[in-house]
Amino acid sequence: MDDTSEATTVDRTRAPRPTRKWMPAPPKSVVGLAVTAVAVAAAVLGAAFLTVGAVRGALGELEAETAWADVWLYAAAASAVFLFVPAVKGLETALKARRLARVDFADARAATADAGEKAKLAIGYAVAVLMVLAFGHFLIANEIAVGRTFFDVGLIFETFHLVGKAFWVNVEIFVIAEVLVLIWGLLIAVARLAPGRAGAPIRLIATAYVDLFRGLPAIIAIYLVGFGLPLTDLPVLRDMTPTMFAILALTLTYGAYVSEVYRSGIESVHWSQTAAARSLGFSHGQTLRFVVVPQAVRRIIPPLLNDFISLQKDTALVSVIGTVDAFNQAKIIASNHFNLSSVTTVAVLFVLITIPQARLVDKLIERDQKRMRAGG
Amino acid sequence: MALVEIRDVKKSYGGVVPVLKGITLDVEEHQVVCLIGPSGCGKSTLLRCINGLETIDSGEIRLHGDRVSGPGVDLDALRRDVGIVFQSFNLFPHMSVVENITAAPIKVLGQSRAEARERAMELLARIRLDKKADEFPDRLSGGQQQRVAIVRALAMDPIVLLLDEITSALDPELVSEVLDIVRDLRQEGMTMVLATHEMGFAKEVASKVCFLYGGVVHEEGPPSQIFSDPHDERTRAFLQRIIEAGRL
């Protein structure tokens, strides 16, 4: 008892050790950065006008040169002037900060931070504009070769109804496959969690299935199912359409992925939840059904949607078994016209349906993280 | 015949780390038995063995004279009648307070929804949380959550209630609201086994105090004797440290 109380008492007989002084330092000047920002803004403005010149030349070859196009192009190039707004302001503030550093460090620091922020803003936007300009050059390079091959607007409009109609086949495949995958994946996941020694063979076969279909490329699964099963001439199977085989192959493949998502969700539910449920007399099955899976499902929605986005994109693979989906239709058009613009249409359609889902996933993840921080 | 008879129970984790090294203990009807002892002495493990959450290696546990340990025991049936409340509450976060309480009576006992809800509301009124019936657990304080967890166990109308350090995860000012419920239950004659670090409370409510150390019951007796005149050397040292820490 005694020795512990002695250790905590301050020894008053000695003078306290002096505390080191805090040495205030002026902020590092950002004048150099601000000058760079102004220079970059000037360079980008020059590059913008050069690009407009090149685009006008390309339009001239197409005989699509109009006064209105000129107005728009030069207006767009001139808008690069706005880069000077933050760049110049940043330079002014940086110079002011350098003067302030002789008077008051705190004010100088604030001004320096402000100047640095503005200079970086100007540079950030300048880089973005440069990338857009580079893409513009890519499109018109080699007598608009890229533009003509991928973005033949006339052909896109002409063939849109064909491609759009075929895209419904993709939609049909992924909607049905997604519903089936949700059910099939859960069954596999539960089988992989079958309890006890009696569950061991079930776990083994479910694991083997998942290993097989996670390792098997989707395109090969589609090929084997779509071409192989009709050859067996088995009842039911022989009456299935290529679209149905495509749905079956994608369900088998993605069922394996989604079962892993379910399983990680189920295993992420803390074992104390299972202990609490079992302690109330719930059986293994009831615990999964009423306590574990409902909590798991909430957590797995983001990874599940990611898998669904992949599944939707993989519907384009069904063209290998001759299903006339959007990609196959677009390829037919492309070979007839010796131009890939119809394939661009398909690409845009896929991207368009994916973006809202990707944003939704982001939102859900953000919401979950907020809830975690709130401690619930 | 005691209500719960624990006979020479041994248990080790993974067959190598012994936790219980031969525990023998009787819990009579209406008794409140407090298990005290340092962390890792096997208090929680013993409770979890009684309701079959952990399997024992040897020995036996009897409930009303019927052996409820070993192979072939219907653990779901055992757990219906032996309630347990955990240190970390373990409420179901996706269910409202009243759903937490009614889930097992409905799904396990087959009560009707209305019947189960009526009983749950009665119990919630007793702990003055009937206004929170439709809230979710994350909206409740720790003390409120633990009170709901106790009520959830009571809704199954258990024969014995096991309380596993139910106040250890609570802020000090929330401890008393939880302990008040345990006092009430004692008044009603509920048979309870508590693992606890609240020595003052153990002294007040226990019919019998058991000091566990290293997986063995070193001393058991009425609280008056254990706390004021411990015979065992280890018990004395343990209580001395508790007193020095200002916790008794």
Side-chain angles (χ1 to χ4, degrees):
Chain A
M1 251 342 241
D2 276 345
D3 48 72
T4 51
S5 59
E6 201 176 64
T8 53
T9 331
V10 179
D11 185 356
R12 297 281 176 205
T13 58
R14 273 189 294 175
R17 198 165 63 91
T19 311
R20 277 194 310 113
K21 283 272 183 299
W22 161 249
M23 302 295 285
K28 283 203 187 87
S29 172
V30 287
V31 173
L33 181 69
V35 169
T36 310
V38 174
V40 168
V44 168
L45 185 62
F49 276 97
L50 283 177
T51 308
V52 165
V55 170
R56 282 188 67 213
L59 287 177
E61 278 175 40
L62 280 178
E63 290 163 9
E65 206 180 10
T66 64
W68 274 115
D70 278 358
V71 170
W72 280 114
L73 284 169
Y74 280 113
S79 66
V81 169
F82 286 112
L83 290 174
F84 282 107
V85 175
V88 171
K89 266 199 183 140
L91 183 57
E92 274 173 17
T93 319
L95 292 169
K96 191 179 92 183
R98 205 159 62 175
R99 283 196 305 277
L100 278 171
R102 278 177 241 129
V103 190
D104 185 306
F105 283 176
D107 287 349
R109 283 186 200 118
T112 305
D114 187 27
E117 180 76 35
K118 282 184 174 124
K120 283 177 196 159
L121 186 78
I123 293 173
Y125 274 93
V127 169
V129 172
L130 272 181
M131 285 176 181
V132 173
L133 294 178
F135 185 68
H137 276 288
F138 177 63
L139 284 182
I140 58 171
N142 194 15
E143 297 171 1
I144 331 184
V146 176
R148 277 191 238 245
T149 309
F150 294 103
F151 302 102
D152 186 333
V153 179
L155 186 61
I156 287 175
F157 275 105
E158 208 178 296
T159 59
F160 183 81
H161 69 284
L162 281 174
V163 176
K165 213 170 117 192
F167 192 68
W168 277 112
V169 176
N170 296 70
V171 173
E172 186 193 341
I173 291 173
F174 75 64
V175 168
I176 297 174
E178 280 169 2
V179 173
L180 295 177
V181 158
L182 276 182
I183 301 163
W184 181 234
L186 182 59
L187 285 176
I188 304 290
V190 171
R192 287 197 76 176
L193 295 166
R197 275 173 64 193
I202 308 281
R203 292 198 295 272
L204 188 73
I205 202 150
T207 308
Y209 167 82
V210 172
D211 284 350
L212 176 65
F213 276 93
R214 278 210 306 180
L216 188 65
I219 194 166
I220 296 179
I222 292 168
Y223 199 86
L224 289 174
V225 168
F227 282 138
L229 291 185
L231 292 177
T232 60
D233 205 26
L234 291 167
V236 183
L237 288 178
R238 89 187 139 211
D239 302 327
M240 281 169 62
T241 64
T243 306
M244 287 158 87
F245 282 119
I247 292 170
L248 176 63
L250 286 170
T251 304
L252 288 172
T253 303
Y254 277 88
Y257 290 121
V258 167
S259 81
E260 285 297 279
V261 171
Y262 272 121
R263 196 168 68 108
S264 70
I266 287 171
E267 285 178 350
S268 77
V269 176
H270 198 256
W271 59 265
S272 64
Q273 287 288 311
T274 305
R278 297 307 298 268
S279 294
L280 289 165
F282 283 115
S283 66
H284 173 81
Q286 285 177 317
T287 301
L288 274 179
R289 184 168 155 216
F290 298 120
V291 177
V292 178
V293 171
Q295 292 183 57
V297 164
R298 273 152 236 243
R299 291 178 204 184
I300 62 168
I301 287 172
L304 202 59
L305 281 176
N306 274 332
D307 275 355
F308 277 1
I309 291 171
S310 302
L311 189 155
Q312 289 161 20
K313 294 192 296 181
D314 278 358
T315 58
L317 299 175
V318 304
S319 61
V320 298
I321 56 170
T323 307
V324 183
D325 74 320
F327 182 42
N328 222 356
Q329 179 68 267
K331 281 199 295 188
I332 295 165
I333 297 167
S335 47
N336 285 345
H337 292 80
F338 204 65
N339 184 296
L340 290 181
S341 297
S342 55
V343 183
T344 304
T345 312
V346 185
V348 170
L349 285 173
F350 272 114
V351 172
L352 282 183
I353 59 161
T354 307
I355 289 174
Q357 298 177 82
R359 287 295 87 76
L360 179 64
V361 173
D362 292 348
K363 272 250 166 62
L364 290 173
I365 292 173
E366 198 183 332
R367 193 198 62 184
D368 278 1
Q369 281 171 346
K370 257 188 205 150
R371 195 182 292 161
M372 290 289 188
R373 278 198 295 275
Chain B
M1 181 182 68
L3 178 57
V4 183
E5 295 163 274
I6 299 165
R7 291 286 171 271
D8 197 28
V9 164
K10 289 182 183 151
K11 156 100 195 154
S12 60
Y13 284 119
V16 273
V17 188
V19 193
L20 305 178
K21 297 180 192 161
I23 301 262
T24 296
L25 181 68
D26 279 342
V27 181
E28 303 287 343
E29 204 178 342
H30 307 311
Q31 261 191 344
V32 177
V33 173
C34 285
L35 308 176
I36 62 168
S39 297
C41 68
K43 304 187 293 284
S44 295
T45 307
L46 181 60
L47 292 185
R48 298 166 70 87
C49 287
I50 297 174
N51 86 336
L53 274 180
E54 304 277 1
T55 51
I56 62 176
D57 300 342
S58 67
E60 62 177 46
I61 297 170
R62 291 173 176 277
L63 184 64
H64 277 313
D66 179 35
R67 185 174 168 151
V68 291
S69 59
V73 175
D74 183 350
L75 290 175
D76 293 342
L78 173 68
R79 293 175 187 140
R80 279 202 287 274
D81 285 342
V82 179
I84 188 165
V85 181
F86 301 94
Q87 179 177 343
S88 49
F89 334 136
N90 301 1
L91 292 179
F92 305 130
H94 61 298
M95 297 184 191
S96 69
V97 164
V98 73
E99 283 165 353
N100 261 281
I101 300 168
T102 57
I106 293 169
K107 314 279 198 243
V108 177
L109 300 180
Q111 290 179 7
S112 75
R113 210 159 267 282
E115 186 187 357
R117 191 180 164 97
E118 194 184 336
R119 170 100 173 104
M121 293 311 290
E122 249 170 56
L123 288 165
L124 281 173
R126 262 182 55 184
I127 58 167
R128 295 180 310 282
L129 284 179
D130 41 336
K131 288 204 181 70
K132 304 273 187 187
D134 295 310
E135 296 269 17
F136 280 81
D138 60 353
R139 309 275 299 165
L140 268 54
S141 75
Q144 290 172 332
Q145 288 190 49
Q146 192 59 295
R147 280 147 68 197
V148 172
I150 295 173
V151 161
R152 181 173 70 173
L154 290 178
M156 295 297 283
D157 198 15
I159 296 172
V160 190
L161 191 57
L162 311 173
L163 305 171
D164 187 2
E165 300 193 18
I166 54 168
T167 58
S168 297
L170 296 179
D171 291 337
E173 78 271 21
L174 303 177
V175 168
S176 69
E177 63 186 60
V178 171
L179 295 185
D180 281 344
I181 299 178
V182 181
R183 282 191 190 96
D184 280 358
L185 290 173
R186 177 174 173 268
Q187 288 293 316
E188 289 168 20
M190 172 67 74
T191 309
M192 290 182 281
V193 185
L194 288 72
T196 186
H197 286 298
E198 302 284 342
M199 296 303 154
F201 184 67
K203 199 170 169 181
E204 175 200 331
V205 300
S207 333
K208 179 160 83 175
V209 176
C210 264
F211 175 69
L212 261 69
Y213 186 90
V216 179
V217 177
H218 271 255
E219 187 168 4
E220 63 172 278
S224 53
Q225 179 255 311
I226 297 280
F227 287 107
S228 51
D229 179 26
H231 301 321
D232 187 89
E233 188 58 40
R234 296 237 186 249
T235 318
R236 212 172 298 149
F238 174 74
L239 290 173
Q240 182 61 35
R241 278 196 296 277
I242 300 275
I243 289 164
E244 276 168 17
R247 300 296 288 267
L248 182 69

